[in-house]
């Protein structure tokens, strides 16, 4: 187990380097000009451009630029934004907000999704089952920005159930509730379908028949024997989804004006603020990889047939 | 037959009902029908089957796949999926009480303490995510209200009883960590945990190596003698049952076509189908000769042919076989067969 | 459990039916199941209609989607047009029809490219194994750790602006971005199905008989490992359409004057309060297109998987 974790951690290093290099290349090396739009409509003054290029090592060949960047990164230096603000401060202020949003979305989709999946799985073919099957399809096929816009309008503006936008730099739980539900909506649909399918499959399994033959109550045969097995793929999906939620936060944060990392990243990309983009994505990739490792370890705990030796 | 109904609080801990066999008669299956209602039509899987089972007796039900033998077992156990399965007629009485008309909760409490079952594929029949000891202990915990550690202790004793080496060390192991034979022993331990009066073994050795098969059959035989259980042995393999079974019922297309004492059936089968089965077993003294196989295939259960269901495959079928369905009848004392020409077959 | 009994019961049927029925192959079985599934027909009709719309929009409308009648701006459905007009006075019906082209083009081309790259790499990884597998798997991990939407935003922002004049070049930009980031999931899938097929006796037999690797792949491995790839590719086609719309919504993918559902939704979401029809129709078209492909993928999977039948 210990060696497995160490091996996985070591494997992460090339992936992190590769991912940051990829982002770094896209931001700094592709033909777009990082100075474009920096000085309004006019081209930047040559002196400013030269200083800018010097500061971000833009005159070095790309691998050396990247090497210098990673060297700084390893020392915890995420560099400065083009406005001279330390990237690390931005990340420190914004990541907790996005993390809270993503965790709320995760809790929302997991609790509701599994509950719905279990109920429809048990009463397969019933009215509720068909209703859920159709409504999850609808949710899956409507893009999140439409769902976001609609729920903001109807639940926020029309019914006044939730705050329409986030107004403070430190959003409250209540302010993040609707955005979290929007962010988790598509995954909610997937989780309920996955739970249902998995439960239906396990209900047919031989060991559930054994549980019945053992004279167990149906509640125990289904709720313990079948469900325990059915949740294995669901947990994997939820873990994997955490990374997706961090990415999906870009749209949700834009709609609800949340001062999280998604909106920051989006503005940084538009402003070609390389250091901000690469720094933000690096943290995101690391979080994603750690969550994946966590999920794999959890998987080993849930399914004794998986061995991590 | 004495049945005491505890009307106060029939909980799982004290099952509330006691079952006592009269004259050793445990199980009476009477004119049982089972149908499967599928989108393609109705398949009659069991078509009027009757038999009795007494204490200490072992009955083998023999048949090809699709003959209805497993469905019979599942109907007795009450673990058929209904729907698609429907039981349109018949009775299954355990110690005089009709299981089919019993309230579901009362019937559930018979599974395990009274009637128990082991399945063909122990790997898929054991829950992969729980330790084997836990799964055995669950019987004591759920039916007897025994606490966790005592139940586990009893599970270890059971594992020792079914000859699992180092049972105490392996009680926390998972099903996939055992060999096929050991897994089947765990299934058996689980099934006999609450000392059931009837044990149904559905192809218990089919998935196992030949040497392991013999060990498992010997264990079943031993346990049956020791506890005087009524044993129903479902199999397609004539060789497996010879040593263990007292009586054999041969099943074909949802019906019993022959019922007899095991020795008599082997020496002189009374139904052409049984004869065919016996002839299809390779024998050392017939080495070099072509093995006789039964031609054709079992009938589609949605369209069982008129007359004798076996007639399309029967070598001696005549017009009467295609016209009249032979009933199961006593050919010679103690021997039943459903064939118009049973007397000739038995003497052939 | 008793499904096994049902299977046991019904298994005798095809035998009796004679030779013709015995020769039923998996493919014809799947086709039979597909034909009987209403979901398949619904999705097939949806896909056919949207494809026709993309190829030949003038078949559905004679109105020019760029004809702005400002005097009738924001007119409601029925006031001379089927779906009403938007802020610019464009006919929303015509815009919806013409918007299909961008979505279908992006969806189909991205899928084709992702399948080619992912399928090829997955095949190589799975078939050759060893160092090839390790290398490609790590590279896949790198791409996998960057969320699709996020990566696409960065990628598209980095490309030079001069592409943006030509409709097809902009489309190709989006396609390139999505395929570039979307192939790893298909590669993983292909790899695992090749690894499942490879040890089968018929493959080993072909190998023992001296068949060349290309022949083994073409006639044995490919036909038996393609099914899951097709299913997932169909479903992700719907996903790519949604991502394209999201990118356009964010102002990163297609830009006006190009016509895209995403652009129209983005323009309409501000006016949600007063003119909901401007949002409703493009959203409906977008969702139906996404739904069509997801349903098709579902139906094909159900047909190929005898367990769920």
């Amino acid at each position: 187990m210990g060696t497995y974790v160490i091996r996985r951690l070591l494997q992460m290093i090339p992936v992190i380097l590769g991912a940051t290099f990829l982002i770094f290349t896209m931001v700094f090396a592709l033909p777009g000009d990082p100075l474009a739009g920096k000085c309004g409509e006019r081209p930047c003054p040559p002196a400013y451009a030269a200083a800018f290029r010097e500061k971000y090592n833009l005159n070095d060949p790309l691998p050396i630029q990247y090497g210098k960047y990673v060297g700084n990164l390893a020392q915890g230096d995420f560099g400065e934004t083009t406005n001279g603000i330390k990237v690390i401060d931005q990340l420190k202020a914004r990541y907790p907000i996005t993390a809270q949003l993503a965790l709320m979305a995760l809790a929302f989709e997991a609790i509701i999704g599994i509950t719905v999946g279990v109920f429809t799985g048990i009463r397969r073919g019933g009215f509720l089952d068909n209703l859920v099957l159709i409504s999850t399809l609808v949710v899956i096929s409507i893009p999140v920005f439409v769902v976001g816009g609609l729920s903001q309008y109807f639940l926020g503006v029309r019914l006044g159930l939730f705050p329409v936008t986030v107004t403070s730099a430190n959003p409250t739980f209540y302010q993040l509730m609707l955005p979290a539900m929007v962010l988790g909506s598509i995954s909610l649909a997937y989780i309920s379908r996955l739970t249902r399918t998995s439960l239906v499959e396990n209900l047919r399994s031989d060991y559930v028949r054994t549980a019945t033959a053992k004279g167990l109550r149906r509640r125990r045969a289904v709720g313990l024997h079948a469900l325990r097995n059915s949740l294995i793929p669901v947990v994997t999906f939820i873990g994997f989804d955490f990374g997706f939620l961090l990415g999906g936060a870009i749209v949700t944060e834009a709609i609800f004006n949340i001062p999280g990392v998604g909106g920051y990243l989006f503005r940084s990309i538009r402003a070609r603020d390389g250091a901000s983009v690469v720094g933000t994505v690096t943290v995101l990739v690391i979080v994603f990889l750690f969550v994946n490792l966590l999920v794999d370890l959890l998987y080993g705990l849930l399914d004794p047939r998986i061995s991590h030796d | 037959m004495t049945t005491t109904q505890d009307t106060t609080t029939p909980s799982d801990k004290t099952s509330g009902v006691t079952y006592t066999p009269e004259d050793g008669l445990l199980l009476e299956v009477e004119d049982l029908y089972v149908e499967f209602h599928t989108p393609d039509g109705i398949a009659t899987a069991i078509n009027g089957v009757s038999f009795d089972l007494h204490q200490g007796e072992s009955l083998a039900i023999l048949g090809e796949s699709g003959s209805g033998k497993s469905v019979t077992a599942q109907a007795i156990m009450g673990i058929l999926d209904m729907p698609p399965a429907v039981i349109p007629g018949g009775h299954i009485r355990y110690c005089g009480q009709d299981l089919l008309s019993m309230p579901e909760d009362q019937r559930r409490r018979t599974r395990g303490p009274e009637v128990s079952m082991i399945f063909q594929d122990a790997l898929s029949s054991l829950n992969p995510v729980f330790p084997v000891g836990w799964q055995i202990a669950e019987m004591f915990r759920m039916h007897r209200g025994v606490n966790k550690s005592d139940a586990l202790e009893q599970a270890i004793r059971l594992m020792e009883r079914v000859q699992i080496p180092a049972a105490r060390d392996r009680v926390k192991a998972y099903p996939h960590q055992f060999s096929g034979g050991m897994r089947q022993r765990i299934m058996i331990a689980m099934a006999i945990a609450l000392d059931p009066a009837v044990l149904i073994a559905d192809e218990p050795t089919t998935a196992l190596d030949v040497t392991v098969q013999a060990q498992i059959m010997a264990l079943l035989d031993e346990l049956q003698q020791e506890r005087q259980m009524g044993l129903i042995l479902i199999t397609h393999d004539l060789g497996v049952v010879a040593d263990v079974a007292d009586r054999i019922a041969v099943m074909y297309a949802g019906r019993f076509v022959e019922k007899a004492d095991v020795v008599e059936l082997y020496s002189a089968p009374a139904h052409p189908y049984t004869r065919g089965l016996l002839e299809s077993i390779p024998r050392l003294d017939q080495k070099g000769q072509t093995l006789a196989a039964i031609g054709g295939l079992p009938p589609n259960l949605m369209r069982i042919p008129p007359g004798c269901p076996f007639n399309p495959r029967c070598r001696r079928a005549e017009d009467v076989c295609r016209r009249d369905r032979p009933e199961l009848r006593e050919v010679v004392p103690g021997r039943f067969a459903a064939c118009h020409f049973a007397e000739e077959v038995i003497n052939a | 459990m008793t499904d096994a009994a049902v299977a046991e019961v019904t298994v005798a049927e095809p035998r009796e039916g004679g030779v013709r029925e015995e020769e039923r192959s998996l493919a014809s079985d799947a086709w039979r199941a597909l034909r009987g599934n209403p979901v398949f027909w619904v999705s097939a009709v949806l896909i056919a209609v949207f494809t026709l719309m993309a190829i030949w929009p003038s078949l559905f409308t004679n109105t020019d989607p760029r004809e702005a009648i400002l005097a009738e701006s924001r007119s409601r459905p029925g006031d001379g047009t089927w779906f009403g007009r938007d802020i610019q006075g464009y006919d929303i019906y015509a815009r919806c029809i013409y918007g299909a082209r961008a979505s279908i083009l992006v969806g189909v081309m991205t899928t084709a490219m992702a399948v080619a790259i992912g399928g090829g790499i997955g095949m190589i990884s799975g078939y050759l194994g060893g160092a090839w597998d390790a290398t490609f798997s790590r590279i896949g991990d790198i791409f996998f750790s960057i969320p699709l939407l996020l990566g696409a935003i960065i990628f598209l922002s980095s490309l030079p602006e001069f592409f943006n004049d030509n409709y097809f070049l902009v489309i190709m930009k989006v396609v390139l971005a999505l395929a570039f980031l979307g192939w790893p999931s298909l590669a993983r899938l292909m790899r695992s199905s090749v690894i499942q097929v490879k040890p089968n006796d018929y493959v080993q037999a072909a190998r023992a008989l001296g068949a060349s690797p290309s022949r083994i792949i073409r006639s044995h491995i490919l036909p038996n490992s393609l099914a899951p790839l097709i299913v997932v590719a169909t479903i992700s086609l719907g996903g790519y359409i949604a991502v394209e719309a999201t990118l356009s919504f964010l102002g990163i993918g297609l830009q006006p004057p190009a016509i895209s559902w995403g652009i129209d939704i983005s323009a309409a979401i501000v006016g949600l309060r007063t003119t909901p029809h401007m949002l409703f129709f493009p959203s409906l078209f977008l969702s139906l297109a996404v739904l069509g492909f997801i349903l098709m993928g579902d139906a094909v999977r159900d047909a190929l998987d005898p367990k769920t039948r």
Side-chain angles (χ1 to χ4, degrees):
Chain A
M1 185 79 168
T3 48
Y4 171 78
V5 174
I6 291 169
R7 199 176 69 230
R8 283 288 300 267
L9 288 174
L10 289 176
Q11 276 179 355
M12 269 183 205
I13 295 171
V15 176
I16 294 170
L17 288 177
T20 49
F21 182 70
L22 201 66
I23 300 295
F24 195 88
T25 314
M26 285 200 277
V27 174
F28 286 111
L30 286 172
D33 183 0
L35 279 165
K38 194 100 283 156
C39 310
E41 294 298 307
R42 297 166 290 119
C44 285
Y48 175 77
F52 185 87
R53 290 187 168 279
E54 183 59 36
K55 185 171 175 189
Y56 293 97
N57 303 316
L58 294 184
N59 297 322
D60 292 329
L62 186 76
I64 294 181
Q65 283 181 39
Y66 178 67
K68 285 182 180 169
Y69 179 81
V70 170
N72 291 336
L73 203 63
Q75 294 162 30
D77 180 5
F78 279 83
E80 288 179 7
T81 70
T82 44
N83 302 326
I85 303 167
K86 277 198 178 323
V87 172
I88 187 90
D89 293 337
Q90 288 283 342
L91 297 183
K92 271 184 191 159
R94 293 171 186 276
Y95 253 109
I97 297 170
T98 302
Q100 192 192 348
L101 179 69
L103 284 174
M104 283 171 68
L106 211 61
F108 169 72
E109 65 185 46
I111 294 169
I112 312 260
I114 291 174
T115 312
V116 168
V118 168
F119 275 103
T120 52
I122 295 172
R123 300 192 202 292
R124 189 158 49 104
F127 170 74
L128 185 72
D129 185 25
N130 284 314
L131 182 78
V132 168
L133 273 182
I134 292 170
S135 52
T136 48
L137 269 177
V138 170
V139 171
I140 288 170
S141 57
I142 299 180
V144 79
F145 56 94
V146 176
V147 175
L150 288 177
S151 57
Q152 187 182 35
Y153 176 62
F154 284 106
L155 300 177
V157 178
R158 267 303 220 2
L159 298 173
L161 293 176
F162 297 97
V164 180
T165 54
V166 173
T167 45
S168 68
N170 283 307
T172 59
F173 183 79
Y174 179 51
Q175 284 177 324
L176 288 180
M177 235 155 90
L178 184 61
M181 279 156 63
V182 169
L183 181 57
S185 60
I186 290 188
S187 304
L188 166 71
Y190 277 115
I191 288 175
S192 54
R193 290 172 76 96
L194 182 62
T195 308
R196 176 189 176 277
T197 314
S198 175
L199 184 63
V200 166
E201 207 165 282
N202 279 295
L203 284 178
R204 285 190 198 137
S205 69
D206 286 351
Y207 61 80
V208 170
R209 181 183 62 184
T210 307
T212 314
K214 280 165 91 175
L216 302 181
R217 289 172 195 275
R218 180 158 167 79
R219 174 179 292 211
R220 189 174 172 91
V222 174
L224 185 69
H225 284 263
L227 191 60
R228 175 65 207 279
N229 284 275
S230 311
L231 286 184
I232 293 171
V234 178
V235 168
T236 317
F237 177 87
I238 292 174
F240 169 70
D241 197 46
F242 188 71
F244 172 79
L245 288 180
L246 289 175
I250 294 179
V251 177
T252 319
E253 292 187 357
I255 294 172
F256 291 96
N257 191 34
I258 298 168
V261 85
Y264 171 63
L265 187 56
F266 186 63
R267 280 193 302 280
S268 304
I269 294 169
R270 301 303 279 167
R272 296 186 185 282
D273 188 343
S276 303
V277 175
V278 182
T280 313
V281 177
T282 305
V283 175
L284 202 140
V285 167
I286 292 173
V287 171
F288 175 78
L289 291 174
F290 267 98
V291 170
N292 267 9
L293 174 59
L294 217 62
V295 170
D296 282 350
L297 293 178
L298 194 60
Y299 196 92
L301 286 180
L302 282 178
D303 190 347
R305 286 164 295 183
I306 307 291
S307 150
H308 286 321
D309 298 330
Chain B
M1 179 178 64
T2 51
T3 308
T4 49
Q5 178 88 40
D6 180 4
T7 47
T8 50
T9 48
S11 79
D12 276 16
K13 279 97 193 177
T14 52
S15 82
V17 184
T18 53
Y19 301 90
T20 317
E22 194 179 342
D23 297 334
L25 178 63
L26 290 170
L27 201 64
E28 299 162 84
V29 175
E30 192 186 311
D31 210 18
L32 182 69
Y33 285 80
V34 177
E35 292 170 351
F36 286 95
H37 291 213
T38 71
D40 299 328
I42 296 175
T44 310
I46 302 182
N47 214 327
V49 157
S50 306
F51 65 90
D52 294 343
L53 184 73
H54 293 78
Q55 275 179 325
E57 182 189 27
S58 59
L59 167 74
I61 300 180
L62 189 78
E64 294 170 282
S65 55
S67 60
K69 56 191 195 305
S70 286
V71 177
T72 309
Q74 289 175 8
I76 296 169
M77 227 27 228
I79 55 171
L80 283 169
D81 261 352
M82 319 224 303
V86 174
I87 302 184
H91 299 279
I92 301 171
R93 275 186 285 271
Y94 172 70
C95 293
Q97 295 231 46
D98 194 348
L99 293 173
L100 295 178
S101 57
M102 204 177 260
E104 174 51 32
D105 200 54
Q106 191 187 345
R107 183 166 192 200
R108 174 180 65 75
R109 292 201 198 102
T110 66
R111 294 183 201 126
E114 309 294 337
V115 187
S116 208
M117 183 158 175
I118 58 181
F119 299 95
Q120 174 176 347
D121 183 0
L123 180 59
S124 63
S125 299
L126 290 166
N127 196 322
V129 301
F130 295 112
V132 294
W134 185 96
Q135 296 189 51
I136 300 171
E138 195 179 24
M139 297 297 276
F140 298 107
R141 289 173 54 210
M142 293 303 126
H143 286 283
R144 299 268 191 264
V146 178
N147 72 39
K148 244 180 184 171
S149 60
D150 290 352
L152 209 60
E153 202 54 43
Q154 282 177 285
I156 294 170
R157 278 203 291 279
L158 270 169
M159 284 169 72
E160 281 163 352
R161 176 63 196 87
V162 296
Q163 294 145 28
I164 291 171
R168 191 166 289 279
D169 301 330
R170 306 211 66 191
V171 70
K172 293 224 162 75
Y174 292 91
H176 72 275
Q177 293 166 322
F178 289 84
S179 68
M182 287 299 142
R183 273 196 292 266
Q184 196 54 279
R185 285 171 195 268
I186 288 160
M187 279 267 23
I188 293 171
M190 203 158 75
I192 62 162
L194 303 178
D195 224 346
V198 174
L199 178 64
I200 304 171
D202 187 358
E203 306 259 10
T205 61
T206 305
L208 303 174
D209 290 343
V210 180
T211 48
V212 184
Q213 278 186 8
Q215 291 165 10
I216 295 289
M217 288 314 297
L219 175 66
L220 277 177
D221 195 23
E222 198 183 305
L223 289 167
Q224 192 223 355
Q225 305 289 334
E226 174 187 301
R227 301 174 179 227
Q228 283 299 299
M229 289 183 291
L231 177 68
I232 299 176
L233 198 60
I234 311 274
T235 183
H236 68 274
D237 188 348
L238 271 169
V240 166
V241 297
D243 297 331
V244 180
D246 303 319
R247 282 189 302 148
I248 293 189
V250 180
M251 213 167 176
Y252 187 80
R255 287 184 171 79
F256 280 172
V257 293
E258 179 164 5
K259 257 197 303 195
D261 177 88
V262 64
V263 181
E264 289 175 18
L265 181 131
Y266 271 70
S267 56
H271 194 283
Y273 178 61
T274 317
R275 174 166 291 270
L277 285 179
L278 285 171
E279 282 169 357
S280 64
I281 301 175
R283 280 168 34 186
L284 273 179
D285 57 336
Q286 289 171 353
K287 208 171 163 187
Q289 296 175 27
T290 312
L291 205 55
I294 306 175
L297 292 158
N300 177 353
L301 294 179
M302 293 186 196
R303 287 188 292 275
I304 296 172
C308 173
F310 187 62
N311 84 69
R313 302 172 72 186
C314 186
R315 269 173 294 180
R316 58 180 309 142
E318 291 178 19
D319 282 346
V320 62
C321 302
R322 284 180 274 273
R323 201 176 57 239
D324 299 331
R325 180 154 292 173
E327 293 303 319
L328 194 65
R329 60 196 170 87
E330 198 157 15
V331 182
V332 291
R335 304 217 34 196
F336 297 82
C339 177
H340 294 299
F341 304 103
E343 287 79 2
E344 294 165 39
V345 177
I346 204 169
N347 294 322
Chain C
M1 40 200 290
T2 33
D3 284 278
V6 179
E8 203 181 301
V9 166
T10 48
V11 94
E13 188 204 6
R15 297 172 179 167
E16 204 201 26
V19 182
R20 193 186 60 81
E21 276 190 276
E22 263 184 65
E23 281 175 355
R24 287 186 357 190
S25 66
L26 179 67
S28 71
D29 256 6
W31 171 233
R32 183 187 299 251
L34 212 52
R35 259 186 337 202
N37 187 354
V39 173
F40 165 71
W41 291 109
V42 170
S43 59
V45 168
L46 280 175
I47 292 174
V49 168
F50 280 116
T51 310
L52 198 60
M53 235 181 249
I55 298 170
W56 202 354
S58 54
L59 205 65
F60 294 83
T61 176
N62 293 321
T63 315
D64 179 357
R66 292 195 181 80
E67 185 197 6
I69 303 178
L70 274 171
E72 289 177 24
S73 162
R74 303 183 193 202
S75 68
R76 305 229 152 226
D79 296 356
T81 53
W82 286 9
F83 292 176
R85 291 188 186 276
D86 67 5
I87 300 178
Q88 313 284 340
Y90 293 137
D91 181 340
I92 294 177
Y93 174 71
R95 302 277 300 178
C96 285
I97 298 291
Y98 277 85
R101 180 171 288 171
S103 294
I104 297 292
L105 271 179
V106 168
V108 170
M109 290 203 293
T110 306
T111 306
M113 205 180 274
V115 163
I117 302 174
I121 288 182
M123 175 66 81
I124 295 171
S125 298
Y127 189 76
L128 297 180
W132 289 100
D133 185 21
T135 312
F136 281 128
S137 292
R138 287 295 88 75
I139 294 177
D141 284 349
I142 291 170
F143 282 86
F144 208 72
S145 65
I146 304 169
L148 179 65
L149 181 64
L150 171 63
I153 293 172
I154 297 176
F155 187 94
L156 288 172
S157 310
S158 308
L159 286 182
E161 302 280 327
F162 60 79
F163 270 3
N164 293 357
D165 306 335
N166 182 306
Y167 181 78
F168 283 98
L169 279 180
V170 180
I171 297 262
M172 277 319 292
K173 246 169 69 169
V174 177
V175 168
L176 215 62
L178 295 184
F180 181 62
L181 295 153
W183 65 267
S185 56
L186 295 178
R188 280 188 181 186
L189 187 75
M190 189 66 181
R191 172 182 176 273
S192 63
S193 39
V194 170
I195 287 177
Q196 266 176 24
V197 172
K198 208 176 122 188
N200 281 351
D201 288 344
Y202 57 86
V203 177
Q204 295 309 321
R207 215 183 232 185
L209 290 171
S212 70
S214 74
R215 185 176 162 71
I216 292 175
I217 286 177
R218 256 187 299 116
S219 47
H220 296 294
I221 293 187
L222 207 53
N224 289 292
S225 55
L226 216 51
L229 189 72
I230 291 171
V231 169
V232 173
T234 314
I235 294 175
S236 29
L237 205 162
Y240 295 137
I241 291 178
V243 175
E244 183 277 322
T246 311
L247 289 170
S248 302
F249 171 78
L250 291 171
I252 287 175
L254 295 172
Q255 321 263 334
I259 301 168
S260 148
W261 295 328
I263 294 173
D264 287 358
I265 293 170
S266 170
I269 223 156
V270 236
L272 180 57
R273 269 164 238 211
T274 47
T275 50
H277 66 279
M278 280 168 46
L279 177 66
F280 176 76
F281 290 106
S283 302
L284 179 72
F285 273 58
L286 173 58
S287 302
L288 284 178
V290 175
L291 188 66
F293 288 101
I294 292 178
L295 284 182
M296 176 60 85
D298 266 3
V300 173
R301 176 177 43 207
D302 288 353
L304 286 171
D305 185 359
K307 262 189 300 182
T308 57
R309 232 181 263 165

